[in-house]
Every structure is written in structure tokens, then in C-alpha cells.
Amino acid sequence: MNYYIVFQNKSFEVEPDLEGVLEGDMIFTYIGGTIVSVGTVVKGAYPSKEPSTLDVQYEWLESKLSVKPIFSKIKELLGKEPTPFTKQGRHAVAGSLHRLNQECGQFIIERMLVS
């Protein structure tokens, strides 16, 4: 299983590169400094009218997860890998899908369970 994060803007438009996203992967939705949902890919990338699409089943979180209090740990877990966050903990590009390493994805899941 792979983990991804998508940074939504006000219109919820997403234009990610979906190559390599597979059934069972998890996608965190980040809006305004918080993770608001986690989605499970139920069908990996496939051709459509758009360049490609995927089917995701989302669970919207009752208790949203604020990234600011855990950002230093996220930054540590991402290490020297290309990071989707700025140094201040903000998102880099709205509407973009970014892969997270296993440790970071699992840490976010753990934090959602204790929120």
C-alpha cells in the first residue's frame, strides 16, 4: 500500500499525475492546514475522457487532523525526500497529488486514530 496527499483548493479541482496509483492505496485530503478525509483507491488509474482517473472511496473525518502540531514529525519522516510541504508547513501546489513514504503515511493514520 502506498500513501498520497492531495492539496485541495476552494474549487476541489485536482489535476494529479495518477500513474502508479493502485487499488488499496490511501489518499489524504488536505484543506486549509488540516487533513479532512482519507480515501481508499478502489480502482487504480484508468483511461477516461480526462487523461486518466481513479475511483476512490472517501471517509470524511469527524475530527479533522491539524498538520501544524505534527509538522515537525512529518518533516522528520520525509527526510531528504522531495516534500509536498513548504518549510512553514503549508502545501506546495494546490490540486497536486504527492506520494508520501510508508513511515509518514502510517504516522498520519496513527494521529487520526488518536484525534
Side-chain angles (χ1 to χ4, degrees):
M1 172 180 10
N2 296 306
Y3 296 95
Y4 296 87
I5 190 164
V6 63
F7 300 110
Q8 298 286 6
N9 53 24
K10 292 178 185 176
S11 68
F12 283 81
E13 293 177 13
V14 181
E15 298 180 15
D17 176 11
L18 303 177
E19 188 176 324
V21 181
L22 304 171
E23 184 176 324
D25 288 350
M26 299 187 83
I27 300 174
F28 303 110
T29 305
Y30 177 100
I31 300 173
T34 60
I35 295 175
V36 299
S37 76
V38 61
T40 303
V41 177
V42 293
K43 184 175 181 183
Y46 58 90
S48 68
K49 290 181 182 179
E50 302 297 321
S52 64
T53 191
L54 36 102
D55 296 337
V56 181
Q57 181 178 4
Y58 287 98
E59 286 189 43
W60 296 92
L61 304 176
E62 288 184 32
S63 298
K64 294 165 181 44
L65 179 63
S66 177
V67 171
K68 188 174 183 176
I70 61 171
F71 178 69
S72 62
K73 182 66 175 178
I74 288 174
K75 185 176 175 183
E76 175 188 324
L77 291 170
L78 290 173
K80 296 186 184 229
E81 295 180 32
T83 178
F85 296 96
T86 65
K87 290 180 182 178
Q88 296 77 28
R90 295 185 180 95
H91 64 80
V93 181
S96 295
L97 184 72
H98 300 273
R99 189 168 178 175
L100 301 172
N101 63 31
Q102 292 290 313
E103 295 82 9
C104 187
Q106 290 170 357
F107 172 72
I108 292 171
I109 292 289
E110 290 168 8
R111 296 306 304 161
M112 288 189 316
L113 294 174
V114 297
S115 294

